[in-house]
Amino acid sequence: MGAGILSDRAIRALFDGGKLAAGKTLDADQIQPASLDLRLGARAYRVRASFLPGPSARVEDKLARLSMHAIDLSQGAVLETGCVYIVPLLESLALPGEISASANPKSSTGRLDIFTRVMTDYGQEFDKIAPGYTGPLWLEVSPRTFPIVARTGSRLSQIRFRKGHAVLGEDELADLHRAETLVASETPNVSGGGIALSIDLMGHGDDGLIGYRGKHHTGVIDVDKRAVHDVFDFWEPLHNRGSADLILDPDEFYILVSRESVHVPPLYAAEMTPFDPLVGEFRVHYAGFFDPGFGHTDAGGAGSRAVLEVRSHEVPFILEHGQIVGRLIYERMLERPEALYGAGMGSNYQAQGLKLSKHFRA
C-alpha cells in the first residue's frame, strides 16, 4: 500500500487494533471521512502563557510549573477570551511506526475564532504528531473574540492520519484540476504547492452582504448548542457599498467567503494553508481540513465555497475583490472513504456560501 490519508474505515481499524484509544465511548459521528474529532477531557488548566513541552519533557511536567488553576469541565465551564487553557483530550495514540498525524481546529471552532493547537509529550511543534507516537494528546484552547462554554466531550479539534508523503506536486495538481475542476476558476493559479483561492467582495443578496465582523464584549457561546444564538448579538454584517474592497482593522476578526467554489474528489483530501505573510499581513482560515466529497456534486455539494476566517495583524490592510488569500493543498487518500462529506452525514457546511458557524440561528 502506497502513501495517503487514512479513511474512516482505517481510523476504525486503528481503534480496533488498540492504536487509538478513548476515555469514553466514541460519539456516533466522531469519525469523519478522513479525520477524527477530538474531545475535551475532564479539566482545563489555565496557564500563564502558551508553551511547547520540547524534546525532554511531558506536557504534564510543564503544567505542574505553569498552571494557575484547574477548571472542572464535567458540567460545563466558561473559557474567557484572551486566556490560554490546556486541556487533556479523551483520545490517546499508540501509532504504528509508519503512521503520522496532523491536527486542525474544526470548521465551527475556526468560525468562532477559537484558537486551538494539539500538543504531544516531547513535542517540538504544534498540531504535528510524529510517526509512531505513543502517549496522550493535549489541546491548547484560547478564545480570541467570544467567551465560550465548553465541557467534557466538546469537540473543538480534529486529527488526520497519514502514511508517508501524499501531497500532490504542482503538475499532478494541475492534471487533477483539469480532470475534476478543483476550484471554479477560468485561470487557476497552481503554484507554491497548492491551488489558489481568492476573496469575494462583490456581495450577496439584495443588500450586497460580503461578510461579518465579530463584536466585542458579547455574551458566551455554548460550543455544543446549534442554532440558539442571534447573529446580531455577536456579529456586525458588512456590505459592499460601491467599491469591492474591505479594510481589515488590526486584531479584528472577519468571516468572509471565497470567490471560487471548491471541489474535493472522493479519492483526495485537501487542506488550506496559512497565507504567506510576504503577500499580505493577515492570516486566513484557522480550520484547514476539507474532507473527501466537499463540494462534490454526487454528495450534494455543488457550488460549495470556502468560508474564510480572516484576521489582520500589525497594520490595517486593504483586501480587494479577487485577491488571492489562500492555497489548497491536495493529498491522496489510501482508499475511498465509506462516507463522503455531506452524503447523508448531516454535514453542516456542504453546498455552503457565506455562512456563520452552526451555533447561530439562520
Side-chain angles (χ1 to χ4, degrees):
M1 192 180 288
I5 301 293
L6 273 62
S7 71
D8 45 11
R9 183 186 294 108
I11 293 170
R12 287 191 198 94
L14 288 178
F15 276 107
D16 294 342
K19 304 303 182 184
L20 273 170
K24 57 187 286 192
T25 305
L26 291 179
D27 299 342
D29 60 346
Q30 193 173 342
I31 297 176
Q32 301 293 319
S35 60
L36 171 72
D37 289 352
L38 298 171
R39 299 172 297 177
L40 301 184
R43 288 184 178 80
Y45 297 90
R46 170 81 193 280
V47 293
R48 291 181 299 178
S50 175
F51 65 87
L52 276 167
S56 59
R58 300 178 305 163
V59 176
E60 201 169 13
D61 301 332
K62 288 280 182 83
L63 273 180
R65 183 164 57 88
L66 297 172
S67 174
M68 297 164 67
H69 61 92
I71 300 166
D72 182 5
L73 295 181
S74 61
Q75 303 302 313
V78 174
L79 304 183
E80 301 283 359
T81 56
C83 298
V84 181
Y85 304 89
I86 306 297
V87 186
L89 296 172
L90 292 177
E91 289 71 35
S92 60
L93 304 180
L95 292 179
E98 72 277 10
I99 302 296
S100 64
S102 60
N104 244 314
K106 285 175 58 65
S107 293
S108 295
T109 305
R111 292 184 205 199
L112 293 178
D113 200 20
I114 306 168
F115 192 62
T116 70
R117 301 189 287 195
V118 168
M119 289 191 293
T120 63
D121 287 344
Y122 312 108
Q124 299 181 73
E125 292 182 277
F126 292 109
D127 286 336
K128 297 280 194 298
I129 294 94
Y133 173 76
T134 297
L137 296 173
W138 302 77
L139 190 67
E140 176 189 308
V141 181
S142 183
R144 303 290 301 277
T145 297
F146 312 118
I148 62 171
V149 173
R151 56 189 56 78
T152 302
S154 294
R155 289 145 57 175
L156 300 181
S157 187
Q158 56 194 342
I159 189 169
R160 183 173 274 182
F161 302 94
R162 58 176 52 78
K163 181 180 179 182
H165 181 77
V167 175
L168 298 188
E170 290 179 11
D171 291 343
E172 296 171 300
L173 192 57
D175 290 343
L176 183 62
H177 175 73
R178 281 190 288 271
E180 298 275 8
T181 310
L182 303 179
V183 299
S185 172
E186 293 178 4
T187 55
N189 180 314
V190 178
S191 62
I195 189 164
L197 287 181
S198 66
I199 197 77
D200 185 349
L201 295 176
M202 291 302 291
H204 303 264
D206 295 336
D207 58 357
L209 182 70
I210 61 172
Y212 298 90
R213 179 166 50 210
K215 291 185 175 182
H216 299 281
H217 315 298
T218 66
V220 299
I221 293 176
D222 190 316
V223 298
D224 296 322
K225 293 184 177 177
R226 299 181 183 216
V228 296
H229 298 293
D230 187 287
V231 168
F232 299 105
D233 289 340
F234 295 87
W235 298 99
E236 175 192 351
L238 303 171
H239 304 277
N240 179 350
R241 301 191 182 280
S243 63
D245 56 26
L246 175 66
I247 297 178
L248 301 177
D249 291 324
D251 292 325
E252 297 285 341
F253 180 67
Y254 300 84
I255 296 290
L256 304 171
V257 71
S258 70
R259 185 181 179 187
E260 303 84 4
S261 56
V262 172
H263 176 212
V264 184
L267 288 173
Y268 297 86
E271 181 174 355
M272 183 174 284
T273 58
F275 198 47
D276 183 355
L278 296 176
V279 183
E281 187 55 36
F282 59 93
R283 180 189 170 97
V284 170
H285 213 284
Y286 294 147
F289 288 162
F290 289 76
D291 271 344
F294 182 89
H296 191 58
T297 300
D298 291 346
S304 296
R305 307 281 187 97
V307 169
L308 307 165
E309 302 103 30
V310 180
R311 179 180 282 281
S312 187
H313 292 317
E314 304 299 329
V315 296
F317 188 84
I318 297 178
L319 276 184
E320 298 184 357
H321 178 73
Q323 186 169 342
I324 291 175
V325 292
R327 294 191 183 279
L328 284 172
I329 288 173
Y330 282 74
E331 295 181 77
R332 291 183 189 80
M333 296 291 297
L334 278 174
E335 60 182 347
R336 183 185 172 111
E338 291 180 340
L340 294 179
Y341 186 89
M345 293 183 61
S347 305
N348 294 296
Y349 307 119
Q350 185 71 297
Q352 71 180 356
L354 175 63
K355 188 174 182 181
L356 294 171
S357 72
K358 61 189 178 187
H359 308 90
F360 300 97
R361 293 191 288 270

